[in-house]
């Protein structure tokens, strides 16, 4: 056994294995980076070097050509950070409560709306923060809310969110999601690509940035679903709600809204 | 077995206890998404179950089998007591602790991220830490295998390493290198987010690191079965191994080519360049070579057995095979499943064909056929072969063994063939339910029932397996010494390259750096590629 003689070109095992692995590598690289791209127009349009770079996953220009035309304005400027959900200090809650005095006309004295404006009591902080930023920046439209949010500073928004998150939220969903619950809420409709409501809005899972819906006014929920469906409202960052709502019929929108709005199970 | 008897037994019992839980979960998944059951009320329960099934079957079960079998091989093939028995127990308890630590958050619904992790989904940190413990435990095993070989070599200077030990250590080195990908993904990318230090994660880079582990892990699972093909099957059916050298070549080729191919799991991922996808696809083709070598060598060995038993003719010798021998049955079943699964694998590795089966039930069918079929049926045989050594039980009842193997084979075929079919028709994988009332899906409903029945046969087979082991009994008689297959030319000279690992490990590392170095460096350096993490079960 001449182990010491193994790592030398004189050893046929060494010679052949290193040479054939090397040759295989070189040939596959040549095919993958030069020959195959050469048959694709969009790979070769800018010459051989650009083509190799693209095959390596590094185009010299990530978004070619008409940049201005291609870029739609973003649907929201808010990046959801988990720090947004931190429980506010009592100071922040107090300041938020003061600021919230201008919200009570529509959203109710304790954040429970008696009009078709949404309840805010117990709403997740990051939800309130995101919506106020979107109103302020014009990513979500409402004559009233855009005007009211225009004067709010970032700390104001955080304080308001802390205050509303601190209030007790309405709880109207049943203890278990049985067959009596509308199918779209419970299991969605896979063939139409509609995810179950409870997979994000609480029930199965509560995804970060999705609002608490229980106890919301029917009018508000149907109006929002319809405006998501028409594309009038488009501040859902990944079009997640537009895609759900577009596939829903008017009757389904009504049924889902009524489920979330029903009062303590006594809606019937 | 001398010192490590209880150690090996502990590994096997825990492996199959976990396996039993996971297989029942798998069958539950099949049942609730079949037309036999109404839609599962809470789809999260389904994904919880998928996560548990995958985590046990991919990490815990095969790792424990490879470790236990590895310790047994060390003592049986090297004919000396295991060095580092205490460390082996520490490794075992680490794997146990990791399993418990990972299972608890999964059971609680805090880590339904599937065993492939899928960032930006982020589960409980305990889940990932548990998996790290399992892997660290297995690294101790890797070190022990290496040390034991070294000690033996020192005592037997110039001798040829027994083939079983050569394959065993090849598997250990393969695992050491391939587990680094997932380890880096967890330690560097996922844990900082899971522990709350960071909000964002580079999902694309994470997936590239996982692919580093994801494909080669299959060859780590496969090694014990291939060791059994070469070193147990020919002896068990009364033949001789056609070529010892070919076994060594196959193990060496697995070392070299298992690793630099994982990007074929990322064909649909935009963050990886098309050139690298091609190179990985081409090298994936190469990894079929050791499997083909193995199939030819073992079929030749089986033919030797048949001709020794008086078999004649070009194919007439097949009739002379010992078909009542469970090992004969198992290797036949294993090769049939390996044939179908391997053919499917060649489809998966082809960029264009992959487009049609990507993320469909076809893929689930493919890896169940290879792993749960071809590989696990040989795990059963390894345990059956070693059981008299481990427990000193009398010979196991061959008729029950045959029934168990038939159930497993039929069950696996009935489970996976419908998956392949509907995968081609486009049925997505990882669905908690299907709408069978939809006219486009209704014609496929029967296939899900068929798979449920197949799964049920697998559960039966598992319980029969446990029953056979549990009632095997004990006797005080010392079992006949365990032997491995003898080659046709047992004293042929083994070249130095096939008696050591240096060359192959160097090629493995070199090829990995060429095939992974650039994509990883490029993605790691690219700015603005992180996305907000999506915590699972956080509220």
């Amino acid at each position: 056994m001449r182990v010491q003689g193994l790592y030398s070109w004189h050893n046929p095992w060494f010679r052949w294995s290193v040479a054939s692995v090397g040759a295989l590598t070189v040939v596959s690289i040549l095919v993958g980076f030069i020959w195959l791209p050469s048959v694709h127009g969009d790979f070769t349009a800018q010459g051989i070097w650009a083509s190799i770079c693209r095959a390596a996953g590094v185009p010299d220009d990530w978004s070619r050509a008409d940049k201005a035309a291609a870029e739609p304005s973003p649907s929201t400027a808010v990046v959801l950070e988990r720090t947004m959900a931190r429980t506010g200090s009592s100071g922040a809650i107090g300041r938020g409560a003061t600021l919230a005095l201008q919200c009570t006309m529509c959203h109710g004295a304790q954040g429970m709306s008696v009009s078709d404006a949404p309840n805010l009591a117990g709403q997740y902080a990051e939800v309130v923060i995101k919506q106020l930023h979107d109103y302020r920046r014009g990513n979500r439209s409402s004559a009233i809310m855009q005007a009211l949010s225009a004067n709010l500073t970032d700390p104001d928004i955080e304080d308001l969110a802390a205050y509303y998150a601190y209030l007790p939220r309405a709880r109207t969903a049943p203890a278990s999601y049985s067959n009596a619950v509308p199918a779209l809420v419970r299991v969605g409709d896979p063939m139409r690509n509609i995810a179950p409501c409870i997979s994000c809005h609480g029930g199965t899972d509560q995804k970060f940035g999705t609002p608490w819906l229980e106890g919301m006014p029917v009018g508000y929920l149907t109006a929002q679903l319809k405006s998501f469906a028409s594309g009038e409202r488009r501040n859902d960052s990944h079009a997640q709600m537009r895609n759900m709502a577009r596939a829903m019929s008017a009757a389904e929108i009504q049924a889902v809204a009524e489920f979330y709005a029903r009062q303590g199970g006594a809606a019937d | 077995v001398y010192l490590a008897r209880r150690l090996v037994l502990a590994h096997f019992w825990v492996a199959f206890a976990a396996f039993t839980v996971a297989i029942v979960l798998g069958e539950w998944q099949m049942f609730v998404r079949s037309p036999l059951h109404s839609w599962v009320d809470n789809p999260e329960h389904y994904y919880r179950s998928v996560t548990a099934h995958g985590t046990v079957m991919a990490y815990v079960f095969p790792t424990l089998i490879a470790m236990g079998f590895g310790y047994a091989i060390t003592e049986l093939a090297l004919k000396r007591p295991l060095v580092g028995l205490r460390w082996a127990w520490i490794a075992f308890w680490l794997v146990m602790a990791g399993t418990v630590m990972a299972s608890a958050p999964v059971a609680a619904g805090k880590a339904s991220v599937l065993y492939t992790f899928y960032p930006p989904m982020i589960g409980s940190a305990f889940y990932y830490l548990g998996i790290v413990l399992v892997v660290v435990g297995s690294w101790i095993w890797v070190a022990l295998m290496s040390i034991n070989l070294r000690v033996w070599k020192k005592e037997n200077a110039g001798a040829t390493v027994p083939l079983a030990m050569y394959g065993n250590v090849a598997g250990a080195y393969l695992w050491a290198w391939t587990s680094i990908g997932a380890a880096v993904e967890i330690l560097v990318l996922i844990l900082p987010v899971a522990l709350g230090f960071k909000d964002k994660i580079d999902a694309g880079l994470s997936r590239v690191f996982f692919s580093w582990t994801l494909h080669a892990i299959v060859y780590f699972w496969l090694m014990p079965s291939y060791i059994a093909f070469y070193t147990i099957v020919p002896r068990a059916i009364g033949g001789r191994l056609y070529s010892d050298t070919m076994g060594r070549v196959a193990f060496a080729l697995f070392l070299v080519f298992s690793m630099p191919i994982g990007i074929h799991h990322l064909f649909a991922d935009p963050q990886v360049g098309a050139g690298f996808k091609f190179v990985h696809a081409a090298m994936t083709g190469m990894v079929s070579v050791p499997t083909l070598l193995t199939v030819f060598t073992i079929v030749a060995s089986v033919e030797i057995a048949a001709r020794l038993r008086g078999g004649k003719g070009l194919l007439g010798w097949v009739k002379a095979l010992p078909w009542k021998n469970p090992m004969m049955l198992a290797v036949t079943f294993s090769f049939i499943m390996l044939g179908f699964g391997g053919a499917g694998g060649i489809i998966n590795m082809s960029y264009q064909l992959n487009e049609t089966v990507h993320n469909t039930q076809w893929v689930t069918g493919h890896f169940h056929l290879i792993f749960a079929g071809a590989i696990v049926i040989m795990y059963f045989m390894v345990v059956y072969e070693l059981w008299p050594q481990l427990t000193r039980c009398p010979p196991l009842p061959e008729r029950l063994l045959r029934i168990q193997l038939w159930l497993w084979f039929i069950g696996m075929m009935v489970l996976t063939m419908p998956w392949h079919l509907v995968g081609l028709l486009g049925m997505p994988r990882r669905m908690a339910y299907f709408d069978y009332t939809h006219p486009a899906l209704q014609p496929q409903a029967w296939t899900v029932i068929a798979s449920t029945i197949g799964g049920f046969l697998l559960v039966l087979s598992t319980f029969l397996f446990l029953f056979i082991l549990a009632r095997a009994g004990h006797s005080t008689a010392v079992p006949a010494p365990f032997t491995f297959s003898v080659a046709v030319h047992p004293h042929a000279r083994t070249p130095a390259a096939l008696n050591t690992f240096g060359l192959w490990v160097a090629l493995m590392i070199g090829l990995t750096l060429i095939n992974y170095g650039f994509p990883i460096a490029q993605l790691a350096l690219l700015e603005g590629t992180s996305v907000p993490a999506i915590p699972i079960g956080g509220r």
Side-chain angles (χ1 to χ4, degrees), chain B residues 88 345 444 471:
Chain B
Q444 298 172 26
R471 62 156 257 176

Side-chain angles (χ1 to χ4, degrees), chain A residues 83-89 92-100 103 120-133 152-167 169, chain B residues 539:
Chain A
T83 50
M84 292 177 180
R86 268 204 304 251
T87 314
S89 64
I93 293 170
R95 283 192 299 277
T98 313
L99 285 165
C103 315
L120 294 178
Q123 190 55 272
Y124 298 109
E126 84 274 5
V127 173
V128 173
I129 292 175
K130 178 178 184 299
Q131 299 306 322
L132 283 174
H133 276 281
L152 294 175
T153 64
D154 288 1
D156 288 346
I157 290 178
E158 280 167 30
D159 293 344
L160 274 168
Y163 168 64
Y164 281 118
Y166 156 84
L167 294 175
R169 61 173 67 105
Chain B
R539 273 174 173 158

Side-chain angles (χ1 to χ4, degrees), chain B residues 208-397:
Chain B
V208 173
F209 272 120
F210 195 76
S211 83
W212 169 308
T213 295
L214 181 55
H215 202 73
I217 197 175
V218 177
Y219 299 103
F220 167 62
W221 301 339
L222 181 143
M223 278 297 189
S225 303
Y226 273 47
I227 294 171
F229 285 155
Y230 281 106
T231 68
I232 300 181
V233 169
R235 186 263 294 149
I237 61 169
R240 284 197 158 203
L241 175 61
Y242 178 68
S243 166
D244 177 274
T245 309
M246 213 47 97
R248 290 166 198 273
V249 170
F251 293 135
L253 284 177
F254 274 128
L255 264 180
V256 177
F257 285 114
S258 297
M259 266 305 306
I261 63 178
I263 284 181
H264 75 249
H265 287 255
L266 303 180
F267 280 158
D269 279 40
Q271 79 275 21
V272 182
F276 285 105
K277 288 175 181 170
F278 176 80
V279 173
H280 281 243
M283 302 238 174
T284 313
M286 283 304 296
V287 90
S288 62
V289 173
T291 289
L292 291 172
L293 288 181
T294 302
V295 171
F296 294 137
T297 308
I298 299 308
V299 170
S301 309
V302 166
E303 184 179 345
I304 291 172
R307 295 203 186 273
L308 285 174
R309 294 164 60 93
K312 295 265 181 298
L314 188 61
L315 291 170
W317 55 268
V318 174
K319 282 185 300 205
L321 284 170
W323 289 110
K324 296 220 152 173
N325 184 326
M327 187 62 89
M328 189 63 233
L329 215 51
V331 72
T332 309
F333 293 156
S334 182
F335 275 10
I336 293 172
M337 294 189 278
L338 192 62
F340 281 111
I346 289 173
I347 288 170
N348 299 342
M349 63 151 238
S350 320
Y351 197 107
Q352 282 78 1
L353 291 175
N354 184 280
E355 288 289 296
T356 58
V357 295
H358 180 75
N359 257 349
T360 66
Q361 282 293 133
W362 167 283
V363 180
T364 325
H366 163 73
F367 67 74
H368 277 80
L369 205 45
I370 293 268
F371 176 44
I375 295 176
V376 169
I377 206 166
M378 294 311 293
Y379 286 2
F380 291 144
M381 291 317 297
V382 165
V383 175
Y384 286 146
E385 276 287 321
L386 290 179
W387 210 248
Q389 301 290 325
L390 297 172
T391 66
R392 299 189 169 162
C393 66
L396 298 170

Side-chain angles (χ1 to χ4, degrees), chain B residues 149-164:
Chain B
L149 180 63
R150 189 160 306 199
V151 170
W152 179 86
K153 274 190 167 175
K154 209 171 268 176
E155 292 171 354
N156 300 270
T160 302
V161 179
L163 180 59

